[in-house]
Amino acid sequence: MLNRRTLLAHSTAFSVAAAAGVPRLSVSAQTAYQAASMIVHRAQPLNAEPRLSTLRSTFVTAQQNFYIRNHGTLPQLNGIAYRLRISGRDIATVEYSLAQLRSHFPQRSVMAVMQCAGNRRVDMVEVKYVSGDAWQPGAISNAMWTGVSLREVLHAAGIAPANGLHVAFTGHDVIHEEGETFNFGVSIPIAKAMQDDTILAFEMNGEPLTPEHGFPLRLVTPGFAGVRSPKWLATIVVQNHPSNNHIQQKEYKLYPPEVTKATAVPSAGMVINDMPLNSAICDPSEGATLQSGSNRLRGYAISTKSPVTRVEVSPDGGNTWTHARLEPQQNAAWSWVFWSAQIDLTPGPSQLVVRAFDRSGATQPPHTADIWNYAGYLSRAWHRVNVGVS
Ligand SMILES: Nc1nc2c(c(=O)[nH]1)N[C@H]1C(S)=C(S)[C@@H](COP(=O)(O)O)O[C@H]1N2
Ligand SMILES: [Mo]
C-alpha cells in the first residue's frame, strides 16, 4: 500500500508541477499506482483497476485509485501551450486555450461514474474465451468532475442542434492496433452532447486531471460507457455522421453470442453508449475465509437511466435473499449507490451473490452465459463471490 507520507509527497510534487502547467511524469505515476497496489492488467499501454475494498472505501474515488484504461501512448501535454480546436461544416474553426475555456464559459461540476464497457469482463472469460483484458468489477470509479458544458462551447461556436448530427472527438494519444496507427477517436449523438452535464472537464475532485486521466482536458459523458469520454482532447468536429475512427467503427460494439471475432460484421454490431444496471460485492473478496455468524457485505450498484431502488444479497448462491441497506446518496443522478448488508453464514463453502433492481423493476440476469459476447462487453449478471466459512 502507498503510505500516507508517500502519498503526501506524491500530491505535493503534483501540485507544484501542475501549477507550472506541466503534469507530473508518468514514470513516477506508474510507480505510485503499483505501490498503491492497483491490479495492473497491462503496463504498456497502462490498464489498471483498484482493489475492490479500496474502491468501496470512499464514495468519491481519489485520482490515485481511479481505474485507468488507455489504448495507446500516454501524452505528456503542456497545459499552457494546449489548444482545443473546434470545427464543423458550417462554422469557422475556433481554438481555445485552457484559460479561455475557464474565463469564457460558466464553470460546471458534475458527480459522475466513469465505467468501462469491459467492466466485469472476467466473468465472461470464465464462460468462454473473450478478447480483451479480464477486468474485475473495478473498471469503474466515481469523481466530481469540473469543467464547462460542451453545449455552451458548441453554442458559442455557432452550432445549432439538428437531427442526425454527431459530435466527433480525437485525442492526442497514438494507438497501434491491428496493423493501423491512429489517434483515439469517438463520437456521441448531438442530443447527448447538448445535455448540460456532458462537460469538457479540466478537474477531478478539485485537482487538475493527472496525465493518466486526460490532462489537460477530457470529455465526461455521464451515463455512457467510458469510451465516449475521450481524454487528452485534440479536436472536436460537428458532422452529419458518426466518427469514422477505428475505435468508433470497430470496437465497443455488442454482438449476439453466436458471433465470433472471425464472423463479426462491425456495421451490424450495436454501438455501446448507455451502460446497463449492474452491481458488485466489493467486500469480502473471492476466496476469503470468514467466521460463521453475522458478516457484513459491502458493494456498489449502478444505474443511470432509472435509479437503483433495491439491492438484494444471498448467502447461498441465490436460493434465499436479504435486502441490503442503500447508503444515502450524494448528487446521485450519474453516480453509483453504495450498499451494505449483514448476513448470517454457517460453516462450509458459501457463494455470496448480489443483484440490483431499478425503478422500472428491471434486474440483472442470473447467469453470464446468457449474455456472453466474444468481446466481453456489458458483463452484468449477478455478481458471485465464493468464500469459506469456519
Ligand atoms: N484519448 C483517449 N480517451 C479515452 C481512452 C483512450 O484510450 N484514449 N480510453 C477510453 C476508455 S475505453 C475508458 S473506459 C475511459 C477510461 O477513463 P480513465 O482512464 O480516466 O478511467 O477513457 C476513455 N477515453
Ligand atoms: Mo473502456
Side-chain angles (χ1 to χ4, degrees), residues 101-134:
L101 282 175
R102 281 180 182 272
S103 62
H104 291 17
F105 304 101
Q107 194 161 300
R108 190 175 183 93
S109 291
V110 179
M111 173 89 79
V113 150
M114 183 75 58
Q115 183 183 189
C116 186
N119 190 31
R120 299 192 55 201
R121 181 183 281 133
V122 66
D123 288 10
M124 297 226 175
V125 174
E126 282 163 12
V127 172
K128 196 159 66 169
Y129 172 81
V130 297
S131 50
D133 289 335

CSV table of all heavy atoms in Angstrom, one decimal, residues 101-134:
chain,number,residue,atom,x,y,z
A,101,LEU,N,-11.1,28.8,-22.0
A,101,LEU,CA,-12.3,27.9,-21.6
A,101,LEU,C,-12.8,28.3,-20.2
A,101,LEU,O,-14.0,28.4,-20.0
A,101,LEU,CB,-11.9,26.4,-21.7
A,101,LEU,CG,-11.9,25.8,-23.0
A,101,LEU,CD1,-11.4,24.3,-22.9
A,101,LEU,CD2,-13.2,25.8,-23.8
A,102,ARG,N,-11.9,28.5,-19.3
A,102,ARG,CA,-12.2,28.9,-18.0
A,102,ARG,C,-12.9,30.2,-17.9
A,102,ARG,O,-13.8,30.4,-17.1
A,102,ARG,CB,-11.0,28.9,-17.1
A,102,ARG,CG,-10.5,27.5,-16.6
A,102,ARG,CD,-9.3,27.6,-15.7
A,102,ARG,NE,-8.7,26.4,-15.3
A,102,ARG,CZ,-9.1,25.7,-14.2
A,102,ARG,NH1,-10.0,26.2,-13.4
A,102,ARG,NH2,-8.6,24.5,-13.9
A,103,SER,N,-12.4,31.2,-18.7
A,103,SER,CA,-12.9,32.5,-18.5
A,103,SER,C,-14.1,32.8,-19.4
A,103,SER,O,-15.0,33.7,-19.0
A,103,SER,CB,-11.8,33.6,-18.7
A,103,SER,OG,-11.3,33.4,-20.1
A,104,HIS,N,-14.3,32.1,-20.5
A,104,HIS,CA,-15.4,32.4,-21.4
A,104,HIS,C,-16.7,31.7,-21.0
A,104,HIS,O,-17.8,32.1,-21.5
A,104,HIS,CB,-15.1,32.0,-22.8
A,104,HIS,CG,-14.0,32.9,-23.5
A,104,HIS,ND1,-13.1,33.7,-22.8
A,104,HIS,CD2,-13.7,33.0,-24.8
A,104,HIS,CE1,-12.3,34.3,-23.6
A,104,HIS,NE2,-12.6,33.9,-24.9
A,105,PHE,N,-16.6,30.7,-20.3
A,105,PHE,CA,-17.8,29.9,-20.0
A,105,PHE,C,-18.0,29.6,-18.5
A,105,PHE,O,-17.1,29.5,-17.8
A,105,PHE,CB,-17.7,28.5,-20.8
A,105,PHE,CG,-17.5,28.7,-22.2
A,105,PHE,CD1,-16.2,28.5,-22.8
A,105,PHE,CD2,-18.5,29.0,-23.1
A,105,PHE,CE1,-16.0,28.7,-24.1
A,105,PHE,CE2,-18.3,29.2,-24.4
A,105,PHE,CZ,-17.0,29.0,-25.0
A,106,PRO,N,-19.3,29.5,-18.1
A,106,PRO,CA,-19.6,29.2,-16.7
A,106,PRO,C,-19.0,27.8,-16.3
A,106,PRO,O,-19.1,26.9,-17.1
A,106,PRO,CB,-21.1,29.2,-16.6
A,106,PRO,CG,-21.7,29.3,-18.0
A,106,PRO,CD,-20.6,29.6,-18.9
A,107,GLN,N,-18.5,27.8,-15.1
A,107,GLN,CA,-17.9,26.5,-14.6
A,107,GLN,C,-19.0,25.6,-14.2
A,107,GLN,O,-20.0,26.1,-13.6
A,107,GLN,CB,-17.0,26.8,-13.5
A,107,GLN,CG,-16.1,25.7,-13.1
A,107,GLN,CD,-14.9,26.2,-12.3
A,107,GLN,OE1,-14.1,27.0,-12.8
A,107,GLN,NE2,-14.8,25.7,-11.1
A,108,ARG,N,-18.9,24.3,-14.4
A,108,ARG,CA,-19.9,23.3,-14.0
A,108,ARG,C,-19.3,22.1,-13.4
A,108,ARG,O,-18.3,21.6,-13.9
A,108,ARG,CB,-20.8,22.9,-15.2
A,108,ARG,CG,-22.0,22.1,-14.9
A,108,ARG,CD,-22.8,21.8,-16.1
A,108,ARG,NE,-24.0,21.1,-15.7
A,108,ARG,CZ,-25.2,21.7,-15.4
A,108,ARG,NH1,-25.3,23.0,-15.5
A,108,ARG,NH2,-26.2,21.0,-15.0
A,109,SER,N,-19.8,21.7,-12.3
A,109,SER,CA,-19.3,20.4,-11.6
A,109,SER,C,-20.4,19.4,-11.7
A,109,SER,O,-21.5,19.6,-11.4
A,109,SER,CB,-18.9,20.7,-10.2
A,109,SER,OG,-17.8,21.5,-10.1
A,110,VAL,N,-20.0,18.2,-12.0
A,110,VAL,CA,-20.9,17.0,-12.1
A,110,VAL,C,-20.3,15.8,-11.4
A,110,VAL,O,-19.1,15.4,-11.7
A,110,VAL,CB,-21.1,16.7,-13.6
A,110,VAL,CG1,-22.1,15.5,-13.8
A,110,VAL,CG2,-21.7,17.9,-14.4
A,111,MET,N,-21.0,15.2,-10.5
A,111,MET,CA,-20.6,14.0,-9.9
A,111,MET,C,-21.0,12.9,-10.8
A,111,MET,O,-22.2,12.7,-11.2
A,111,MET,CB,-21.3,13.8,-8.5
A,111,MET,CG,-21.0,12.5,-7.9
A,111,MET,SD,-19.6,12.5,-6.9
A,111,MET,CE,-20.2,13.3,-5.4
A,112,ALA,N,-20.1,12.1,-11.3
A,112,ALA,CA,-20.4,11.0,-12.3
A,112,ALA,C,-19.4,9.9,-12.2
A,112,ALA,O,-18.2,10.0,-12.0
A,112,ALA,CB,-20.4,11.5,-13.7
A,113,VAL,N,-20.0,8.7,-12.4
A,113,VAL,CA,-19.2,7.5,-12.5
A,113,VAL,C,-18.6,7.4,-13.9
A,113,VAL,O,-19.2,7.8,-14.9
A,113,VAL,CB,-20.1,6.3,-12.3
A,113,VAL,CG1,-19.7,5.0,-13.0
A,113,VAL,CG2,-20.2,6.0,-10.8
A,114,MET,N,-17.4,6.9,-14.0
A,114,MET,CA,-16.8,6.5,-15.3
A,114,MET,C,-16.7,5.0,-15.2
A,114,MET,O,-16.3,4.5,-14.2
A,114,MET,CB,-15.4,7.1,-15.4
A,114,MET,CG,-14.6,6.9,-16.7
A,114,MET,SD,-15.2,7.9,-18.0
A,114,MET,CE,-15.0,9.6,-17.4
A,115,GLN,N,-17.2,4.4,-16.3
A,115,GLN,CA,-17.2,2.9,-16.2
A,115,GLN,C,-16.9,2.4,-17.6
A,115,GLN,O,-17.5,2.8,-18.6
A,115,GLN,CB,-18.6,2.4,-15.8
A,115,GLN,CG,-18.6,0.9,-15.7
A,115,GLN,CD,-20.0,0.4,-15.3
A,115,GLN,OE1,-20.2,-0.8,-15.0
A,115,GLN,NE2,-21.1,1.2,-15.3
A,116,CYS,N,-15.9,1.4,-17.6
A,116,CYS,CA,-15.5,0.8,-18.9
A,116,CYS,C,-16.6,-0.2,-19.3
A,116,CYS,O,-17.2,-0.9,-18.5
A,116,CYS,CB,-14.2,0.1,-18.8
A,116,CYS,SG,-13.6,-0.5,-20.4
A,117,ALA,N,-16.9,-0.3,-20.6
A,117,ALA,CA,-17.8,-1.3,-21.1
A,117,ALA,C,-17.3,-2.7,-20.9
A,117,ALA,O,-18.1,-3.6,-21.0
A,117,ALA,CB,-18.1,-1.0,-22.6
A,118,GLY,N,-16.0,-2.8,-20.6
A,118,GLY,CA,-15.4,-4.1,-20.3
A,118,GLY,C,-15.4,-4.4,-18.8
A,118,GLY,O,-14.8,-5.4,-18.4
A,119,ASN,N,-16.0,-3.5,-18.0
A,119,ASN,CA,-16.0,-3.8,-16.5
A,119,ASN,C,-16.6,-5.2,-16.3
A,119,ASN,O,-17.6,-5.6,-16.9
A,119,ASN,CB,-16.9,-2.7,-15.8
A,119,ASN,CG,-16.8,-2.8,-14.3
A,119,ASN,OD1,-15.8,-3.2,-13.7
A,119,ASN,ND2,-17.8,-2.4,-13.6
A,120,ARG,N,-16.1,-6.0,-15.4
A,120,ARG,CA,-16.5,-7.3,-15.0
A,120,ARG,C,-16.3,-8.3,-16.2
A,120,ARG,O,-16.9,-9.4,-16.1
A,120,ARG,CB,-18.0,-7.3,-14.5
A,120,ARG,CG,-18.2,-6.5,-13.3
A,120,ARG,CD,-19.6,-6.7,-12.7
A,120,ARG,NE,-19.8,-8.2,-12.4
A,120,ARG,CZ,-21.0,-8.8,-12.3
A,120,ARG,NH1,-22.1,-8.1,-12.4
A,120,ARG,NH2,-21.0,-10.1,-12.1
A,121,ARG,N,-15.5,-8.0,-17.1
A,121,ARG,CA,-15.3,-9.0,-18.2
A,121,ARG,C,-14.8,-10.3,-17.8
A,121,ARG,O,-15.0,-11.4,-18.4
A,121,ARG,CB,-14.3,-8.4,-19.3
A,121,ARG,CG,-14.1,-9.3,-20.5
A,121,ARG,CD,-13.0,-8.7,-21.4
A,121,ARG,NE,-13.6,-7.7,-22.3
A,121,ARG,CZ,-13.0,-6.5,-22.6
A,121,ARG,NH1,-11.9,-6.2,-22.0
A,121,ARG,NH2,-13.6,-5.7,-23.4
A,122,VAL,N,-14.1,-10.4,-16.6
A,122,VAL,CA,-13.5,-11.6,-16.1
A,122,VAL,C,-14.6,-12.7,-16.0
A,122,VAL,O,-14.3,-13.9,-16.3
A,122,VAL,CB,-12.8,-11.4,-14.8
A,122,VAL,CG1,-13.7,-11.0,-13.7
A,122,VAL,CG2,-12.0,-12.7,-14.4
A,123,ASP,N,-15.8,-12.3,-15.7
A,123,ASP,CA,-16.9,-13.3,-15.7
A,123,ASP,C,-17.2,-14.0,-17.0
A,123,ASP,O,-17.5,-15.1,-17.1
A,123,ASP,CB,-18.2,-12.7,-15.1
A,123,ASP,CG,-18.2,-12.4,-13.7
A,123,ASP,OD1,-17.1,-12.4,-13.1
A,123,ASP,OD2,-19.2,-12.0,-13.1
A,124,MET,N,-17.0,-13.2,-18.1
A,124,MET,CA,-17.3,-13.7,-19.4
A,124,MET,C,-16.1,-14.6,-19.8
A,124,MET,O,-16.3,-15.6,-20.5
A,124,MET,CB,-17.4,-12.5,-20.4
A,124,MET,CG,-18.6,-11.7,-20.2
A,124,MET,SD,-19.5,-11.3,-21.6
A,124,MET,CE,-20.9,-10.4,-20.9
A,125,VAL,N,-14.9,-14.2,-19.4
A,125,VAL,CA,-13.7,-15.0,-19.7
A,125,VAL,C,-13.9,-16.4,-19.1
A,125,VAL,O,-13.5,-17.4,-19.7
A,125,VAL,CB,-12.4,-14.4,-19.1
A,125,VAL,CG1,-11.2,-15.3,-19.3
A,125,VAL,CG2,-12.2,-13.0,-19.7
A,126,GLU,N,-14.5,-16.5,-17.9
A,126,GLU,CA,-14.7,-17.8,-17.3
A,126,GLU,C,-15.7,-18.7,-18.0
A,126,GLU,O,-15.7,-19.9,-17.9
A,126,GLU,CB,-15.1,-17.6,-15.8
A,126,GLU,CG,-13.8,-17.2,-15.0
A,126,GLU,CD,-14.1,-16.6,-13.6
A,126,GLU,OE1,-15.3,-16.6,-13.2
A,126,GLU,OE2,-13.1,-16.1,-13.0
A,127,VAL,N,-16.6,-18.1,-18.7
A,127,VAL,CA,-17.6,-18.8,-19.5
A,127,VAL,C,-17.0,-19.4,-20.8
A,127,VAL,O,-17.1,-20.6,-21.0
A,127,VAL,CB,-18.8,-18.0,-19.9
A,127,VAL,CG1,-19.8,-18.7,-20.9
A,127,VAL,CG2,-19.6,-17.5,-18.7
A,128,LYS,N,-16.3,-18.6,-21.5
A,128,LYS,CA,-15.6,-19.0,-22.8
A,128,LYS,C,-14.6,-17.9,-23.1
A,128,LYS,O,-14.8,-16.7,-22.7
A,128,LYS,CB,-16.7,-19.1,-23.8
A,128,LYS,CG,-16.3,-19.8,-25.1
A,128,LYS,CD,-17.6,-20.3,-25.8
A,128,LYS,CE,-18.4,-19.2,-26.4
A,128,LYS,NZ,-19.4,-19.6,-27.3
A,129,TYR,N,-13.6,-18.2,-23.9
A,129,TYR,CA,-12.6,-17.2,-24.2
A,129,TYR,C,-13.2,-15.9,-24.8
A,129,TYR,O,-14.0,-16.0,-25.7
A,129,TYR,CB,-11.6,-17.8,-25.2
A,129,TYR,CG,-10.6,-16.7,-25.8
A,129,TYR,CD1,-9.5,-16.4,-25.0
A,129,TYR,CD2,-10.9,-16.0,-26.9
A,129,TYR,CE1,-8.7,-15.3,-25.5
A,129,TYR,CE2,-10.1,-15.0,-27.4
A,129,TYR,CZ,-9.0,-14.7,-26.7
A,129,TYR,OH,-8.1,-13.7,-27.1
A,130,VAL,N,-12.7,-14.8,-24.3
A,130,VAL,CA,-13.1,-13.5,-24.9
A,130,VAL,C,-11.8,-12.7,-25.1
A,130,VAL,O,-10.8,-12.9,-24.4
A,130,VAL,CB,-14.1,-12.6,-24.1
A,130,VAL,CG1,-15.4,-13.3,-23.9
A,130,VAL,CG2,-13.5,-12.3,-22.8
A,131,SER,N,-11.8,-11.8,-26.1
A,131,SER,CA,-10.6,-10.9,-26.3
A,131,SER,C,-10.7,-9.8,-25.3
A,131,SER,O,-11.8,-9.4,-24.8
A,131,SER,CB,-10.6,-10.4,-27.7
A,131,SER,OG,-11.8,-9.9,-28.1
A,132,GLY,N,-9.6,-9.2,-25.0
A,132,GLY,CA,-9.6,-8.0,-24.1
A,132,GLY,C,-9.2,-8.4,-22.7
A,132,GLY,O,-9.1,-9.5,-22.3
A,133,ASP,N,-8.8,-7.4,-21.9
A,133,ASP,CA,-8.3,-7.6,-20.5
A,133,ASP,C,-9.5,-8.1,-19.6
A,133,ASP,O,-10.6,-7.7,-19.8
A,133,ASP,CB,-7.8,-6.3,-19.9
A,133,ASP,CG,-6.4,-5.9,-20.6
A,133,ASP,OD1,-5.8,-6.8,-21.1
A,133,ASP,OD2,-6.1,-4.7,-20.6
A,134,ALA,N,-9.1,-9.0,-18.7
A,134,ALA,CA,-10.0,-9.6,-17.8
A,134,ALA,C,-10.3,-8.7,-16.6
A,134,ALA,O,-9.9,-9.0,-15.5
A,134,ALA,CB,-9.5,-11.0,-17.4
